[in-house]
Amino acid sequence: ANQALSVLNIQSHNSFNSLVSQLLTQRKIPSKGWSDQLIEHFLHELSLMDSNNYQDRAGVGEREGRVLSSIVNRRHYYMAHGIGRSGDLFSIQPKAPGSSLILKLTCYMAKHAIKLAGIDKLDCLVLPLATGMALTMCLLSLKSSRPQGKYVIWSRIDQKTCLKCISSAGLIPIILETQLQGDSVITGDLESLLKTINPLEIVCILSTTSCFAPRSPDDVQRISELCKELNIPHVINNAYGLQCSKIMHMIKEALRLGRVDAIVQSTDKNFLVPVGGAIISSRDKKLLENINSSYPGRASMSPILDLFITFLTLGENGYVEILKNRKKLVVEFREKFADIGNKHGERLLDIRDNSISFALTCRNNDLGAKLFVRRVSGCRFVGDKEKEVCGFRFRSYGSSFDGYPNSYLTAACAIGLTSDEMNLFFSRLDQLLE
Amino acid sequence: ANQALSVLNIQSHNSFNSLVSQLLTQRKIPSKGWSDQLIEHFLHELSLMDSNNYQDRAGVGEREGRVLSSIVNRRHYYMAHGIGRSGDLFSIQPKAPGSSLILKLTCYMAKHAIKLAGIDKLDCLVLPLATGMALTMCLLSLKSSRPQGKYVIWSRIDQKTCLKCISSAGLIPIILETQLQGDSVITGDLESLLKTINPLEIVCILSTTSCFAPRSPDDVQRISELCKELNIPHVINNAYGLQCSKIMHMIKEALRLGRVDAIVQSTDKNFLVPVGGAIISSRDKKLLENINSSYPGRASMSPILDLFITFLTLGENGYVEILKNRKKLVVEFREKFADIGNKHGERLLDIRDNSISFALTCRNNDLGAKLFVRRVSGCRFVGDKEKEVCGFRFRSYGSSFDGYPNSYLTAACAIGLTSDEMNLFFSRLDQLLE
Amino acid sequence: ANQALSVLNIQSHNSFNSLVSQLLTQRKIPSKGWSDQLIEHFLHELSLMDSNNYQDRAGVGEREGRVLSSIVNRRHYYMAHGIGRSGDLFSIQPKAPGSSLILKLTCYMAKHAIKLAGIDKLDCLVLPLATGMALTMCLLSLKSSRPQGKYVIWSRIDQKTCLKCISSAGLIPIILETQLQGDSVITGDLESLLKTINPLEIVCILSTTSCFAPRSPDDVQRISELCKELNIPHVINNAYGLQCSKIMHMIKEALRLGRVDAIVQSTDKNFLVPVGGAIISSRDKKLLENINSSYPGRASMSPILDLFITFLTLGENGYVEILKNRKKLVVEFREKFADIGNKHGERLLDIRDNSISFALTCRNNDLGAKLFVRRVSGCRFVGDKEKEVCGFRFRSYGSSFDGYPNSYLTAACAIGLTSDEMNLFFSRLDQLLE
Amino acid sequence: ANQALSVLNIQSHNSFNSLVSQLLTQRKIPSKGWSDQLIEHFLHELSLMDSNNYQDRAGVGEREGRVLSSIVNRRHYYMAHGIGRSGDLFSIQPKAPGSSLILKLTCYMAKHAIKLAGIDKLDCLVLPLATGMALTMCLLSLKSSRPQGKYVIWSRIDQKTCLKCISSAGLIPIILETQLQGDSVITGDLESLLKTINPLEIVCILSTTSCFAPRSPDDVQRISELCKELNIPHVINNAYGLQCSKIMHMIKEALRLGRVDAIVQSTDKNFLVPVGGAIISSRDKKLLENINSSYPGRASMSPILDLFITFLTLGENGYVEILKNRKKLVVEFREKFADIGNKHGERLLDIRDNSISFALTCRNNDLGAKLFVRRVSGCRFVGDKEKEVCGFRFRSYGSSFDGYPNSYLTAACAIGLTSDEMNLFFSRLDQLLE
């Protein structure tokens, strides 16, 4: 029996160990994805490092990583300590070195993923908070170094979260109204607005890149140049922008020419994991350290574990491939959407720089609901409806522009969409438009 | 074959369905725990309700609950939507009715658990945030209705998180120094302190019940009476206090006689799940609604799912039993700890009202480290050390009292501790003290 | 990160590795059971040794351990090769050293388990065949060395399998009728029967130890002495006898004083695994080698894996404990069964040496069915019914004796029965007897 | 909450239930494969039907489906009863209707799979025994109706299992020597052989279709015609022949024109499951019933469950596709193999009717071992070596022909081989031949 086990060291384990050691040395997404078997084996190895899994241990703290349910234990691979210590969210937890290692590696791999998506040398925090709360954390952190700061200048984008993340932080939003250019809703006159406010009272400007048509990504280059000039922090809400090379290029230019303090991305929208995580990336290590060290206490490790597993599953090749696939599909998506529109007397709106979300003029205000019943989710009908959010009233809510001239239906060609799904959508849409 | 399946409806499924229907109608922890098999079956039933699991669906939103890794999909039982919509953390997510139902039921069961622990009629939010961030959310929410509020009066407790949760919220802590009474560190002279501050500038008083010896639980009854009198909000950090009937009684009295706005509990410390969740309970529905509706965007469902599974596993009987077991063990723990102390010329400190954490005088400042090497985790040696946290300097950090007269070693008899573990601890301690 | 991993070697992995190395050196059930976590980690380590899990492998055989379904792959821990090669069921399969190691260790642990149950120094084969087929394999193997052999002398036991295993082997059963002694049905007059047959034409005598009341275990000592004298092979069907120390003692004496070629045990009835495996134990290594080498081809590894996992879960302590628990429960079971009988005018039959199965006189012939509807399974009503099996007709089928004087209901106090279940049974029985 | 659950019945569950009901009514492989999620949900539904999973049950039989290890329980989806009752392997087990249903459905789907592979209207038994033991079961069953039968005429095929399955059944093989035709080893002179033996003493003729080059499939049409003429049973070992449409056509013709009693297929080689199952198919329902009813006792359900899951995963489309893929790959495989041979002065042998296994002349007798070290498994070098199996001596063992004129290396293009793997093999072979 002992002889047989020696085979293990010679054949299989060498190869497993060399994969692990590559990961630990290179600190990036492995070039080729790992099998589920190898990933789970690695997770078990790591979890054995956590003190709650030591043999013959005695835990006499008030929290000792005990897990009652075996279902819960299994689904977390016996890791129970979460991340963080009172001091710091990302420091090594001596009771849980395995979990801590996963957190570190996930941040490194996130950095690598963002490089693959187009921007190099961005440090990353992966937070177990979705985009909205991650933005709130950025704002709270920036505020702590802006003693007079109380305002956030917010380029209007009609998603509640984007406004609520400001008031959640106890700050006051100042709305930068958008402008219409052709069909596109674009960044408004920031220069004039800035002349009316004391820059020291501005915590930051919050711009948005990934957004629903007919809104275009904000002109982050221009914004960042103004921020640099006036010494105002700049946070970019890039929720699902990693999948779009055009957006990534715009942010790259903003970083090169102006001031960008933090860029916030969703993990679920970019990497196909369940909702619950965000990546804050920055060239300013101090800001990240500040967020890190001001986080009060511990946090769930679950969203980080999901991302860790997904990076290993995908591999560099896999991630590059799904980015390419979307790029290819977008061309087809746009064409077919326009064709079906034309067929039924509607028109695909021509939105500058938005290659994720598309909008088709539409007179039928219950089309979204009808599509949902036919198992098409994600379409939104937008007409001339007013809405109140955080005490502000917006007209044509959804379009990000008061009095947007068209009613329309949006649909997105986001990462992960399959060709089959797209065709299913178009055929159902086609039927309903008749 | 069809005949055989009919047996299913008559025998087994009736019994499964009746359990489910009881849960949905009674909205409390089932009296007897469910088997893993039944729980997982129920989770699968619920996940089939979420739109990402519909057959022949077409998702054309920017986020459609797609999950790339099958490992990740399995560990979340194919639920990907997290909780919350932009409007509200706890509203039903039409794309994910199954997940939404789990969230609702978990809140109901949390309410029931707190009733079993001693306090009835407290509404509950279960947040996918650990205690520190949950406290920050409470403070931010209270602040939004206290326009002049900028201070939090904080009864000193030497855990970093407890102070950081205030500055994370962008608020300014005012320290209420503790007092010494015998060995016990108790709530200080709040009355005098309050005379020096405009109540309207106080966001709330933050008291703590569950704490390390030699600190005693705060006198929440007195605090709440003052809060009522002066119309100041009161938040109780009851991190791991549900397991202690004495603490629960103190809070009950505080609720009856004074003002308590919110009580915050950790899910992992009280219910043996991995770190990542907290329960905010309150008699003030508006406060909970406010927290709920001010949460920006979605959040991970994972900590809620863990608690859901654990409640079903435990059952009412099971929960009552682990509470009882701890109560029994405490008696033995205290005695043995004192005996070993006496044997080695040390003394068990006599701390009022703290039946979770115990402290033994100790001259050996590396005892904690030595114990950790011997796989005893959770012990802390505290001597006369100064420490800076959030810009404040504290002496005798750990004891919650400047110049605490003893150095000592703490150990806790917390929920989930087994008799074997306790004995292992004492035998290793005994060896090391020789 | 590399530093963190080094902790692994120092703390957790040393302890895991030392458990594994103990198992490989001591080749017996570990004294203390392993946790699910450690067992699964070990299974993954072993499966990585199998060639189907090598990275960058190319398989160009006609069977290469490819598994299509990820569900199937997971449930077998990625082990696909089964056991055996064309030459031999238990030889190391070079393509699958991990699987082969599991098989070897399971056989060693089975040997140890049988020692714990009472008999030392019995070599064991664990076959992925249930008891019936395992008996057939024994008979076929014995036959191959008895050129004139065509008969199997079979001490009547009324379970179809016990007779069918003979005809399945293409052999002819000769029935040794039982005798009545008080209530007990005992081994008949073998001496007289043997005088009528040429011993060389007898492949073996097949006796049975574990059996339903009112049958008693066969007098294996007497049978084995006769077998020794006449040079006739002797196979004992000890299907669920490991749990009964009395039976084990009888077999031990038979081994000491007479001839016993093989003893066959069920894995599911003795070790609480799903149906599908059997242990053939023997002091005759040649017989085991013969069975081993005559097995045509490969076989499923699944029943062996179940036993492997269960041995590791139980540990020596665990196994000894469930044996003890049953022993204790039997006393109570017998008493309560008798009491309920007396209460309703029935009588517990007094059966010699049978401490597993009990029989209560019973006039109600649909009691078994009524109990089944009330979720009591395993009870059998036996009355004066005739039945044909393999061409033979038996009266009072079930009692193993033509014209057994009572009708009765059987119930067993078998390993794994809980006290709660027992009480549930008695309370339902009590109700039905009223 | 109740409202939310009603969505379930309307949307998701309807679709799940309709899939299940289609399966139960149509009794064939679903046209489109099911997701892992749906399959596992169905397995849980079925397992709840088994009595060991009833709530509040009391089991007082000697075997009650109790499973000790939760790992074991999970991997069997809580199904513990195996298949079979003492009476019959395939009858409904009242304690386990769920398991019984799986068995029935698996047999139906096996029938459908064989239809898709080319032959309609063959009834099927799926046995939890690998090919060798399944053949033994066929022989034992045929023997029971051939009172004088003692011989099996065996068309030589050099795999040990194929010969051992005869002696395992206690029968005597008579070897039909093969003949050489060009490079091919083909069926020998059966007519002459049959003239020398009393047909009544022949239990059956055992022919083989799927085989290693240079052997060709047996001429099953000619054999079956002779069997029909002389009233001799005929069993075809079609271990991995389902993947080859040519072989399937040959068997179809044999069925149409002559006598074929049973055709035996491996589940692992044809359907990519772990080793452990076989399908016996026949137009003779009585033979199948005979095998079924003569099986002594119960058996593991595990190999059947694997096949059940795999059929559902594949779907009809999926199975047809992997058959097609292999057919396409074969063309490429043959060409590349020949090319590499030519490049190095070797020759691809021209073997009639064998489109699975290929042989290249080869002078290097350690090439197989060298390839194995380079992670190529499945290649076999065959030279002029003698070997003894079951007491018979064979020359040129492996080639199935005494004195085969070439030494050679075999490699197979079997179902599941990927294009990448094939290319890896050829590149490694190329290197080694240099």
Side-chain angles (χ1 to χ4, degrees), chain B residues 57 88 122 128 173 186 192 199 210 228 236 238 261 382 403:
Chain B
R57 50 104 46 159
D88 188 331
L122 281 173
I186 63 163
S192 306
S210 55
K228 191 179 184 184
I236 299 176
N238 187 37
D261 294 72
V382 176

Side-chain angles (χ1 to χ4, degrees), chain B residues 102-120:
Chain B
I102 288 174
L103 178 60
K104 293 252 172 207
L105 290 170
T106 307
C107 288
Y108 287 128
M109 292 196 281
K111 183 177 179 171
H112 185 205
I114 288 176
K115 180 180 171 183
L116 294 172
I119 306 180
D120 203 357

Side-chain angles (χ1 to χ4, degrees), chain A residues 1-2 4-5 7-8 11-13 15-16 19-20 24-25 27 32 36-38 40-41 44-49 53-56 74 77-78 92 97 101, chain C residues 1-2 4-5 7-8 11-13 15-16 19-20 24-25 27 32 36-38 40-41 44-49 53-56 74 77-78 92 97 101:
Chain A
N2 270 313
L5 200 65
V7 176
L8 178 150
Q11 282 279 10
S12 61
H13 273 227
S15 107
F16 173 72
L19 285 176
V20 168
L24 295 176
T25 353
R27 299 172 175 194
K32 209 179 131 188
D36 281 8
Q37 184 189 22
L38 291 180
E40 292 199 298
H41 191 57
H44 285 127
E45 293 255 316
L46 290 165
S47 81
L48 285 175
M49 295 167 67
N53 296 317
Y54 291 174
Q55 300 284 303
D56 297 323
R74 270 163 194 279
Y77 293 87
Y78 304 91
I92 295 238
L101 187 53
Chain C
N2 268 313
L5 200 65
V7 176
L8 178 152
Q11 281 279 11
S12 60
H13 274 227
S15 107
F16 173 71
L19 285 175
V20 168
L24 295 175
T25 353
R27 298 172 176 192
K32 206 179 133 189
D36 281 9
Q37 184 188 23
L38 292 181
E40 291 200 297
H41 191 56
H44 284 127
E45 293 256 316
L46 290 166
S47 81
L48 283 175
M49 294 166 70
N53 296 317
Y54 291 174
Q55 300 284 302
D56 297 322
R74 271 163 193 279
Y77 293 88
Y78 304 91
I92 294 236
L101 188 51

Side-chain angles (χ1 to χ4, degrees), chain C residues 361-402:
Chain C
T361 62
C362 176
R363 289 150 301 183
N364 184 347
N365 65 6
D366 58 357
L367 197 57
K370 279 185 177 164
L371 283 163
F372 190 73
V373 169
R374 276 156 191 81
R375 303 189 175 199
V376 173
S377 56
C379 278
R380 297 202 307 179
F381 173 84
V382 176
D384 192 12
K385 226 172 108 182
E386 209 175 283
K387 178 138 194 167
E388 191 185 309
V389 181
C390 295
F392 296 91
R393 297 200 70 81
F394 300 95
R395 282 179 51 212
S396 317
Y397 192 77
S399 73
S400 303
F401 184 79
D402 272 12

